[in-house]
């Protein structure tokens, strides 16, 4: 089977639930959870005579995301009816901006092993969510929960501009990071607040026309989107290579078995009979309104990464890991506001602090020490009074359980580092006398043995010997 002669073309449609308190066209709660059919009203239920009213905050959030994605903001907007029947769609149609998106064009920048590139967007538009069918409540019937019906969504539609599952993975990772930084969506795919459909086709390398696309649905994690794309590409190549024909269809991905199955033939846009929503007036966005939203944009990941690399001289890896999560970046920002030891601050955050959080299965918001307190511990290490090892293994746990000053804890536990050469020199002599063969090997060229001697001195001094001074004294004595 010759996979190498084909090029994969991928476009992603991502639905993100907006973090508004109420639904898109009524005051019903948009909160996740709640007993079935408790976040509803006659408007959500589409009772005759009820009229929708636009949620201004939803429009603000859509614009915010559009600006972050470098989109052109459409000033004159209207909603349309997208007609199709589904049991969890009370009105029998969905109110959407599909025909007139609030955000046009734009891009999302991604980084893979192949380098950095911009994934082009087609549009971002507002629409209402449907309800949810529950198939596991009864052996004979499916139940309908309308709590989610009417919750505001943005649909982020990329161009068919990705060519590998890894690009799709990085695109979704970056998009989720963006919505979380902006505070417009929690990005939780497991709870369905961010959902992705993948349009996948293949064509011979060098071809300019797109192949027949297949849409894959029901993927509840970014990793499963990657798996589903790889599966579908393999299926399409094998189909063509064995003389088959790819048909335009919608398929469902089963994460448990790693397989997919056909759901239905794909509808075309005219099947939905779009027409302007008569119960909602068109709305105009002024320059002042858009600029006011632009002014609220936080520093976004790429901007912070560049700042950490260029201004604070952090390695790119450190900068990217810190910026993976907005809460971690916020903590780091507060930390470096109280210390100029930028690399040390990053080391603490990505080392001892991260280890503590991993052990607790928590994120940075659960870390008990405020940034200013951690900065005092960093300053104590920088002063040479304690080593990083002692500070992280002995003092940090004590500070977490006892909110005392780090110097006070170090003094009480007798951890203050000894930087008196007269005290350290005899310990060094004992260590070197203990390992004459290693001393000879060091002097014979095995300079890596210095770490062994330092470790033995630190052990003999119960960690109190100043490592820098220990290294200097050892190097001098080993000249022999």
């Amino acid at each position: 089977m010759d996979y190498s002669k084909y090029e994969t073309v991928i476009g992603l449609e991502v639905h993100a639930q907006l973090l508004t308190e109420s639904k898109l066209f009524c005051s019903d709660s948009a909160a996740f959870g709640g007993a079935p059919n408790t976040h509803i009203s006659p408007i959500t239920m589409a009772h005759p005579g009820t009229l929708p009213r636009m949620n201004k905050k939803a429009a603000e959030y859509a614009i915010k995301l559009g600006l972050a994605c470098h989109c052109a903001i459409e000033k004159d907007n209207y909603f349309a009816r997208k007609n199709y029947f589904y049991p969890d769609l009370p009105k029998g149609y969905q109110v959407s901006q599909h025909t007139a998106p609030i955000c046009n064009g734009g891009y999302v920048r991604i980084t893979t092993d192949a380098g950095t590139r911009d994934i082009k967007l087609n549009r971002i538009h507002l629409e209402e969510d449907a309800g949810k069918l529950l198939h596991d409540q009864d052996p004979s019937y499916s139940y309908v929960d309308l709590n989610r019906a009417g919750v505001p969504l943005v649909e982020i539609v990329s161009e068919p501009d990705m060519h590998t599952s890894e690009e799709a993975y990085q695109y979704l990772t970056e998009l989720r990071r963006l919505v979380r930084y902006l505070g417009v969506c929690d990005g939780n795919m497991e709870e369905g607040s961010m959902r992705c459909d993948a349009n996948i086709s293949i064509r011979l390398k060098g071809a300019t026309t797109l192949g027949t696309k297949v849409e894959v649905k029901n993927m509840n994690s970014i990793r499963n989107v990657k798996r589903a794309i790889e599966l579908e590409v393999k299926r399409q190549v094998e189909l063509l290579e064995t003389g088959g024909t790819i048909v335009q269809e919608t398929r469902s991905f089963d994460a448990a078995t790693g397989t997919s199955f056909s759901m239905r033939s794909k509808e075309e846009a005219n099947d939905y009979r779009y027409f302007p929503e008569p119960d909602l007036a068109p709305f105009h966005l002024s320059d002042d309104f858009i600029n006011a939203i632009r002014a609220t944009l936080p520093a976004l990941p790429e901007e912070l990464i560049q700042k950490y690399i260029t201004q604070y001289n952090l390695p790119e890896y450190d900068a990217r890991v810190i910026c993976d999560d907005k809460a971690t970046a916020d903590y780091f920002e507060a930390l470096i506001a109280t210390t100029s030891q930028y690399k040390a601050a990053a080391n603490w955050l990505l080392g001892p602090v991260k280890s503590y959080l991993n052990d607790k299965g928590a994120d940075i918001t659960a870390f008990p020490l405020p940034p200013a307190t951690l900065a005092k511990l960093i300053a104590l290490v920088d002063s040479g009074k304690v080593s990083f090892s002692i500070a992280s293994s002995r003092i940090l746990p004590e500070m977490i359980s006892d909110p005392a000053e780090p110097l006070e804890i170090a003094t009480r536990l007798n951890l203050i580092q000894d930087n008196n050469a007269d005290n350290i020199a005899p310990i060094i002599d004992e260590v070197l006398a203990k390992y004459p063969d290693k001393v000879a090997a060091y002097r014979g060229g095995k300079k890596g043995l210095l770490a062994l001697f330092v470790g033995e001195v630190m052990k003999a001094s119960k960690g109190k010997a100043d490592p820098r001074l220990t290294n200097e004294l050892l190097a001098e004595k080993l000249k022999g």
Side-chain angles (χ1 to χ4, degrees):
M1 202 68 65
D2 187 1
Y3 296 94
S4 63
K5 68 182 183 183
Y6 293 97
E7 177 186 48
T8 302
V9 181
I10 304 162
L12 298 182
E13 299 171 7
V14 177
H15 289 86
Q17 284 185 355
L18 298 177
L19 285 174
T20 56
E21 293 184 12
S22 57
K23 294 185 179 180
L24 187 53
F25 300 121
C26 69
S27 60
D28 296 345
S29 172
F32 175 79
N37 297 312
T38 54
H39 298 169
I40 62 174
S41 68
I43 297 179
T44 291
M45 296 287 289
H47 286 184
T50 57
L51 291 173
R53 184 176 179 180
M54 174 67 187
N55 185 333
K56 181 180 176 183
K57 182 62 71 174
E60 291 177 9
Y61 282 177
I63 295 166
K64 203 172 187 179
L65 179 59
L67 292 172
C69 292
H70 317 281
C71 302
I73 307 302
E74 176 59 57
K75 293 181 182 178
D76 294 301
N77 288 262
Y78 70 90
F79 284 94
R81 289 188 182 182
K82 180 181 180 180
N83 294 274
Y84 64 99
F85 174 78
Y86 211 60
D88 57 8
L89 199 65
K91 292 189 285 282
Y93 58 84
Q94 180 189 37
V95 179
S96 170
Q97 278 194 311
H98 186 278
T99 52
I102 194 169
C103 308
N104 287 286
Y107 61 87
V108 172
R109 181 161 294 165
I110 67 166
T111 301
T112 66
D113 291 341
T116 298
R117 64 181 292 256
D118 297 335
I119 304 299
K120 294 189 288 292
L121 299 182
N122 178 280
R123 66 181 185 274
I124 300 173
H125 65 260
L126 278 162
E127 63 187 22
E128 61 180 344
D129 208 344
K132 187 176 182 181
L133 290 175
L134 306 175
H135 304 294
D136 57 356
Q137 307 292 307
D138 187 280
S140 303
Y141 300 95
S142 290
Y143 290 174
V144 181
D145 177 11
L146 295 177
N147 280 351
R148 200 174 69 181
V151 168
L153 296 175
V154 283
E155 183 175 355
I156 306 134
V157 183
S158 82
E159 296 287 2
D161 196 32
M162 287 162 269
H163 300 287
T164 66
S165 61
E166 178 61 23
E167 285 189 342
Y169 182 94
Q170 294 301 332
Y171 169 83
L172 284 174
T173 300
E174 184 59 34
L175 199 55
R176 182 173 64 182
R177 187 165 58 166
L178 267 179
V179 298
R180 287 175 171 172
Y181 262 79
L182 295 168
V184 301
C185 174
D186 64 21
N188 192 328
M189 291 188 73
E190 290 77 12
E191 292 181 357
S193 56
M194 183 170 154
R195 309 192 290 274
C196 176
D197 300 332
N199 293 298
I200 306 157
S201 65
I202 60 171
R203 62 186 177 189
L204 290 172
K205 287 181 177 176
T208 55
T209 56
L210 293 172
T212 302
K213 71 176 179 181
V214 172
E215 183 177 29
V216 182
K217 290 180 173 287
N218 298 334
M219 298 165 289
N220 64 354
S221 72
I222 295 177
R223 177 176 170 272
N224 281 336
V225 173
K226 186 174 187 290
R227 289 175 63 206
I229 290 171
E230 290 166 356
L231 172 73
E232 179 58 24
V233 170
K234 183 173 183 289
R235 188 189 72 86
Q236 289 188 23
V237 170
E238 290 177 354
L239 197 60
L240 290 184
E241 288 287 291
T242 55
T245 302
I246 298 169
V247 297
Q248 185 168 332
E249 62 180 340
T250 300
R251 298 181 70 85
S252 178
F253 177 68
D254 186 332
T257 61
T259 59
S260 69
F261 57 89
S262 180
M263 296 170 67
R264 60 183 179 271
S265 61
K266 180 61 180 172
E267 302 91 342
E268 299 294 341
N270 56 12
D271 292 330
Y272 294 122
R273 295 179 294 115
Y274 287 101
F275 64 88
E277 168 57 66
D279 291 334
L280 284 165
F283 60 98
H284 176 79
L285 303 173
S286 68
D287 287 333
D288 288 345
F289 184 74
I290 296 170
N291 288 333
I293 295 171
R294 192 190 307 273
T296 68
L297 289 176
L300 295 173
E302 281 303 318
E303 179 185 343
L304 288 176
I305 288 167
Q306 289 308 310
K307 181 173 87 170
Y308 296 160
I309 293 171
T310 58
Q311 292 185 30
Y312 302 150
N313 294 316
L314 293 188
E316 183 178 350
Y317 174 83
D318 290 13
R320 290 196 175 279
V321 174
I322 289 169
C323 293
D324 268 347
D325 170 64
K326 186 176 187 297
T328 302
D330 288 344
Y331 190 98
F332 184 71
E333 284 285 306
L335 183 57
I336 59 178
T338 55
T339 177
S340 59
Q341 300 296 317
Y342 306 127
K343 178 56 177 163
N347 289 344
W348 274 94
L349 204 54
L350 302 181
V353 174
K354 188 174 183 181
S355 294
Y356 170 85
L357 295 172
N358 288 343
D359 288 343
K360 299 290 183 183
D363 61 29
I364 191 68
T365 58
F367 188 60
L369 298 186
T373 302
L374 184 59
K376 291 179 181 178
L377 187 53
I378 293 172
L380 187 64
V381 174
D382 186 55
S383 71
K385 288 186 170 67
V386 297
S387 67
F388 174 81
S389 174
I390 289 294
S392 59
S393 64
R394 300 286 303 279
I395 300 176
L396 179 64
E398 195 73 17
M399 289 175 68
I400 289 172
S401 59
D402 175 12
E405 292 292 307
L407 179 57
E408 179 187 328
I409 292 172
T411 303
R412 171 162 50 84
L413 297 180
N414 194 26
L415 298 174
I416 297 299
Q417 198 160 258
D418 189 349
N419 54 13
N420 186 326
D422 291 339
N423 295 334
I424 299 173
I427 299 175
I428 290 176
D429 289 339
E430 289 177 13
V431 168
L432 297 184
K434 185 179 176 182
Y435 295 103
D437 54 333
K438 297 284 194 283
V439 171
Y442 176 89
R443 289 171 175 161
K446 293 188 176 180
K447 301 303 182 185
L449 287 169
L450 183 65
L452 167 71
F453 299 133
V454 172
E456 289 297 317
V457 172
M458 297 303 292
K459 188 188 301 180
S461 68
K462 295 183 170 56
K464 294 180 65 177
D466 181 340
R468 180 189 57 78
L469 182 58
T470 298
N471 271 277
E472 291 176 2
L473 293 174
L474 272 167
E476 186 64 32
K477 286 180 176 289
L478 285 166
K479 282 181 181 177

